[in-house]
Amino acid sequence: MPVTIYNTLTRRKEALVPGEPGQVRMYVCGPTTYNLIHLGNARPLVVFDTFRRYLEYRGYRVTYVQNFTDIDDKIIARAAEEGLDPGVLADKYIAEYFLDAAALGVRPATVHPQVSQHIADIVAMIRSLVDKEYAYAADGNVYFAVDRFAGYGKLSRRSPEEMLVGARAEIEGDKRSPLDFALWKKAKPGEPWWESPWGPGRPGWHSECAAMALRYLGSGFDIHGGGYDLVFPHHENEIAQAESYTGQPFARYWMHNGFITVDQEKMSKSLGNFFLLREILRRFPGPVIRFYLLSTHYRHPLDFDLEGLEGSARGLARWQKTLDELEQRLGGRAGEAATSGPAHPLREQVAATRETFVAALDDDFNTPAAMAALFALVRETNSFLARSQTGDDAGTLAAVRACLKELGEQVLGVLPLAGQAAPSSREAQVVTGLVDLLLEVRSLARQHRDWAMADMIRDRLAGLGIGVEDTPGGTRWEWRG
RNA sequence: GGUGCGGUGGCGAAGUGGCUAACGCCGCGGUCUGCAAAACCGCUAUUCGCCGGUUCGAGUCCGGCCCGCACCUCCA
């Protein structure tokens, strides 16, 4: 069974057939680095990172390119506000971006090209477009002539005629048509600029992705992804440029993720209803946020709420507890995952889990259904562990562990759910020592059947955010925030 | 106005023609526990926005309607 994905270009699910067998080339539009990212920005990161991981799991080699827009009006404006050099500001937020991405378990792309490093590529493309009369220069600016590209509107399913009618688009500057868009913008005083055949300026909107995608992936690469709001005009314009430039199809499959909403409205800067990822990370571990983002199908809207995150935290904690329990039973043993041996219901469950998981993700990357398969495995495993005490099932347990790690860690990237950041400060060490001391006192109290004392200690610790559990193997505690 | 997306139990969320509508969270009952917690077992939608239609059979296809959202201008 092939991997199937919904292609915005054709509005249907299609089997993924890479242009080059065994190799998938994908490009995802990255952030404009003028501030910290919010949860809405985080969704495509997690979604496409997971998709990339899945493709690798399915045996493809994946070349994954994600750009940084480090030259842009918003960056220039923000830099001016803060009295910083735009390049310095952009670099700062690129660094911040990597911190956020890492917290979410998003792996670095194969290449992270930046606009500022590809001016020559962009200029070369624009020059060619001008030569071929797909674009025209006017007073230091260069515009793309939309009416020269017959396929304009094929991605967003709108016709240039319609856009001209209903739109409030007006002819600005020296554009010949309201639909034309800037490939190169003349520098205004004080703005960063690069030399070009049309005078000092900088790349306009959309040019970067087209030029950099072609540079690293070549024309006709496999998957181009991004948020749904990029369909028009961003991706439409990329197609217009790239295909006019190369004369060949730009990207073969277009994937777009749905929005994060707040009270049903799109999370956005302008509405002021956004939550910075940094803020949410203060309350929930990255893996929980990742789990939460993957618990809705990527094309559907996800209405953000804290209760949902709480639910994700509990669900994911179950996965982790099961894994912890398996580790404990298996001891330090690497535990070869037995593939033979007596037929064991759990072993069948492992096989069924893989099968269901893969079928779900093959079907346009249905993460909620895939996660349901893992929940089934977790439940069956816990059920088995609750009944069995002996250690003669090591091979089977190791097989479960391997499956959980493979699907939950390697593919979904939500494990391990790091308990609490390993406290390394002096204060944290003292706290840990004190808690251990209190629990020793409590154990003594319990031995003397002094339940009042034991419960008081447990309750007071709970009040401090420390959860205490008595298990057959001894008392455990954990931070519960 | 144009183009799309969505409306499934208390909440979240799969399911796009066929056994009793996955799964998670919450809640309730039970097992375990000194009591809890965790874990496990069980229960919780005669019903899938509304109205028609097609079909032996529809949440699932067709038509109409209502509601919400998004894009058409920077936006993941």
Side-chain angles (χ1 to χ4, degrees):
Chain A
M1 283 291 289
V3 174
T4 303
I5 55 183
Y6 180 87
N7 188 351
T8 306
L9 195 58
T10 57
R11 308 283 156 124
R12 57 173 49 154
K13 287 184 192 174
E14 299 174 350
L16 173 66
V17 182
E20 189 181 322
Q23 164 81 32
V24 173
R25 293 173 295 169
M26 64 189 286
Y27 185 96
V28 175
C29 290
T32 300
T33 51
Y34 69 107
N35 57 12
L36 295 173
I37 62 172
H38 64 238
L39 189 66
N41 301 313
R43 192 178 194 189
L45 299 186
V46 166
V47 162
F48 290 110
D49 174 70
T50 309
F51 193 54
R52 169 204 195 179
R53 287 162 175 260
Y54 180 62
L55 291 175
E56 289 175 351
Y57 174 71
R58 293 287 262 114
Y60 292 104
R61 280 185 302 122
V62 180
T63 304
Y64 186 73
V65 180
Q66 186 191 45
N67 69 298
F68 285 116
T69 299
D70 64 348
I71 300 169
D72 169 90
D73 291 348
K74 289 191 290 280
I75 293 173
I76 294 170
R78 183 70 181 266
E81 281 170 27
E82 300 192 8
L84 287 173
D85 175 79
V88 170
L89 181 94
D91 285 347
K92 171 185 164 191
Y93 285 110
I94 287 172
E96 298 288 2
Y97 164 89
F98 279 118
L99 290 178
D100 282 335
L104 291 177
V106 173
R107 289 160 40 197
T110 313
V111 190
H112 280 285
Q114 297 176 37
V115 181
S116 63
Q117 324 258 312
H118 292 80
I119 301 296
D121 291 327
I122 295 166
V123 167
M125 180 181 76
I126 296 173
R127 193 203 307 254
S128 168
L129 288 170
V130 171
D131 288 346
K132 294 175 188 165
E133 295 181 6
Y134 283 110
Y136 55 92
D139 188 30
N141 296 298
V142 181
Y143 299 102
F144 186 88
V146 165
D147 60 7
R148 291 275 289 122
F149 181 64
Y152 198 75
K154 67 182 177 183
L155 180 68
S156 56
R157 299 282 166 112
R158 34 192 113 199
S159 68
E161 295 73 36
E162 282 169 353
M163 286 187 262
L164 282 171
V165 174
R168 0 173 182 164
E170 288 175 17
I171 294 188
E172 43 181 90
D174 299 303
K175 284 202 254 181
R176 291 177 191 162
S177 158
L179 301 181
D180 293 353
F181 56 91
L183 297 174
W184 186 262
K185 298 174 105 164
K186 180 168 72 171
K188 298 192 188 100
E191 290 183 345
W193 56 271
W194 286 261
E195 204 43 77
S196 83
W198 317 283
R202 61 193 150 91
W205 198 31
H206 323 300
S207 302
E208 60 190 77
C209 287
M212 295 191 291
L214 291 174
R215 165 66 181 263
Y216 290 100
L217 299 174
S219 58
F221 64 91
D222 300 304
I223 297 171
H224 192 131
Y228 215 88
D229 49 358
L230 296 183
V231 172
F232 188 90
H234 187 57
H235 289 163
E236 195 71 70
N237 289 353
E238 277 185 52
I239 290 174
Q241 287 172 73
E243 300 194 352
S244 299
Y245 177 47
T246 65
Q248 294 171 1
F250 181 44
R252 302 168 57 233
Y253 303 87
W254 289 81
M255 297 176 74
H256 294 96
N257 63 274
F259 300 127
I260 304 278
T261 59
V262 177
D263 294 330
Q264 308 296 327
E265 286 191 316
K266 181 179 173 184
M267 182 181 289
S268 71
K269 293 277 164 47
S270 53
L271 287 170
N273 61 348
F274 61 91
F275 290 76
L276 290 179
L277 181 59
R278 230 19 105 71
E279 295 170 5
I280 303 172
L281 279 168
R282 273 204 292 271
R283 300 189 53 179
F284 295 94
V288 166
I289 299 170
R290 184 172 176 116
F291 184 101
Y292 176 68
L293 291 173
L294 293 174
S295 63
T296 296
H297 184 89
Y298 79 94
R299 284 193 286 121
H300 289 183
L302 195 174
D303 199 48
F304 174 73
D305 74 310
L306 291 169
E307 279 180 31
L309 272 166
E310 299 280 3
S312 291
R314 296 187 189 197
L316 182 55
R318 273 181 63 203
W319 295 12
Q320 184 62 54
K321 277 176 192 287
T322 297
L323 203 48
D324 291 345
E325 184 64 25
L326 288 170
E327 296 287 4
Q328 196 163 331
R329 297 256 187 152
L330 289 164
R333 282 174 293 176
E336 318 70 44
T339 50
S340 59
H344 192 295
L346 249 192
R347 198 158 305 153
E348 287 167 24
Q349 183 72 41
V350 168
T353 298
R354 277 208 182 80
E355 198 175 318
T356 306
F357 186 91
V358 167
L361 293 188
D362 274 358
D363 182 16
D364 192 30
F365 198 46
N366 190 336
T367 50
M371 290 159 84
L374 274 179
F375 269 111
L377 176 65
V378 164
R379 183 171 8 85
E380 293 301 323
T381 301
N382 286 337
S383 178
F384 172 76
L385 291 175
R387 281 180 274 115
S388 120
Q389 298 299 329
T390 59
D392 54 338
D393 296 300
T396 297
L397 296 189
V400 174
R401 179 176 65 179
C403 182
L404 271 176
K405 287 193 157 199
E406 184 180 300
L407 306 182
E409 188 172 323
Q410 185 188 329
V411 179
L412 296 181
V414 296
L415 292 171
L417 169 57
Q420 37 288 285
S424 58
S425 70
R426 175 78 189 126
E427 289 81 359
Q429 284 174 18
V430 170
V431 167
T432 299
L434 286 174
V435 171
D436 288 340
L437 173 61
L438 278 169
L439 290 182
E440 277 179 47
V441 172
R442 179 168 174 274
S443 288
L444 287 172
R446 292 182 73 217
Q447 279 170 32
H448 294 116
R449 310 191 134 262
D450 183 355
W451 309 126
M453 172 69 78
D455 291 350
M456 185 194 81
I457 292 173
R458 186 173 62 195
D459 291 347
R460 293 286 294 275
L461 286 176
L464 295 170
I466 292 168
V468 175
E469 294 178 18
D470 298 314
T471 74
T475 300
R476 295 183 196 166
W477 68 275
E478 64 180 1
W479 289 101
R480 294 229 170 102

